[in-house]
């Protein structure tokens, strides 16, 4: 029996299984009951499984794309990781279950997949290159300081506006009275 550990801090791990059920049984297989458990979570041995981060589909739905290309382009698994297993992945038929790390909701778990699941592999999503590059232009040099405008007190501004309002109204009334 295969055992898999899920850590609470796991990120970007993708587990792929085939499932030996008919198309008609897929919805019932992933649907949770009142306890939050589903036949899928039971077959995995998972205590927590968020179905939002689980994909279940028939390989035929991918048409010409195929599972290896979907893994790379749709999920973000590195091309090299997929290429190592391409021959085996191209042979897969039937229903596939793809489970992302987020499906385990940050809970430490020990998975023991059993029938109708058959484990195909565990893969890591590619992470983008996050190198910090120093800008080499004159405008990028220097140090930013505080705001260029004087920091004003909004309460004081409101007080001045309230005091000025009656003066403006009286001035407007005198102007209007002089024209009449």
């Amino acid at each position: 029996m295969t055992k898999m550990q899920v850590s609470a801090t796991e990120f970007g791990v993708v587990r792929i299984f085939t499932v030996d059920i008919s198309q008609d049984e897929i919805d019932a297989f992933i649907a949770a009951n009142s306890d939050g458990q589903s036949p899928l979570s039971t077959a995995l041995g998972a205590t927590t499984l968020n179905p939002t981060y689980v994909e279940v589909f028939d390989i035929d739905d991918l048409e010409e794309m195929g599972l290896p290309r979907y893994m790379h382009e749709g999920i973000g698994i590195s091309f090299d990781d997929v290429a190592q297993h391409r021959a085996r992945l191209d042979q897969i038929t039937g229903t596939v279950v793809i489970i992302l790390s987020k499906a385990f909701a940050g809970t430490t778990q020990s998975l023991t997949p059993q029938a109708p699941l058959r484990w195909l592999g565990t893969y890591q999503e590619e992470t983008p290159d996050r190198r910090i590059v120093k800008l080499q232009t004159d405008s990028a040099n220097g140090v930013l300081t505080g705001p260029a405008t004087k920091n004003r007190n909004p309460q004081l501004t409101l007080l001045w506006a309230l005091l000025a309002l009656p003066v403006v109204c009286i001035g407007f009334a005198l102007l209007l009275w002089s024209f009449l």
Side-chain angles (χ1 to χ4, degrees):
M1 179 180 290
T2 304
K3 277 196 158 222
M4 299 175 190
Q5 295 300 319
V6 176
S7 75
T9 59
E10 181 178 282
F11 177 78
V13 177
V14 179
R15 292 173 178 83
I16 302 178
F17 301 86
T18 59
V19 59
D20 297 323
I21 59 174
S22 69
Q23 282 295 112
D24 300 336
E25 299 172 303
I26 289 176
D27 289 337
F29 186 67
I30 59 175
N33 60 22
S34 60
D35 297 337
Q37 291 291 316
S38 67
L40 172 59
S41 60
T42 302
L44 273 172
T47 55
T48 303
L49 188 68
N50 182 342
T52 304
Y53 301 103
V54 175
E55 294 182 51
V56 181
F57 57 88
D58 191 285
I59 290 289
D60 292 339
D61 293 343
L62 296 176
E63 297 175 355
E64 296 94 37
M65 181 179 241
L67 184 58
R69 186 171 161 200
Y70 178 74
M71 289 169 62
H72 175 65
E73 294 178 16
I75 301 174
I77 298 170
S78 82
F79 181 79
D80 292 337
D81 288 349
V82 175
Q84 290 176 5
H85 304 108
R86 185 176 192 96
R88 184 172 56 92
L89 294 169
D90 279 333
Q91 302 299 316
I92 303 299
T93 59
T95 304
V96 173
V97 176
I98 297 176
I99 304 173
L100 306 177
S101 290
K102 287 184 177 183
F104 301 109
T107 57
T108 300
Q109 301 183 48
S110 181
L111 305 178
T112 53
Q114 55 191 331
L117 296 175
R118 186 170 51 95
W119 178 61
L120 289 177
T122 301
Y123 301 89
Q124 183 70 42
E125 293 178 35
E126 277 186 306
T127 54
D129 185 13
R130 297 182 186 196
R131 283 181 280 151
I132 297 174
V133 178
K134 184 175 179 180
L135 298 176
Q136 301 297 322
T137 62
D138 289 338
S139 62
N141 292 329
V143 178
L144 291 176
T145 59
T149 60
K150 186 178 174 185
N151 189 7
R152 299 179 188 207
N153 185 343
Q155 289 85 7
L156 188 59
T157 304
L158 179 63
L159 179 64
W160 280 111
L162 288 174
L163 291 174
L165 185 62
V167 173
V168 171
C169 288
I170 291 171
F172 183 70
L174 288 173
L175 184 64
L176 188 62
W177 183 62
S178 68
F179 282 114
L180 295 176

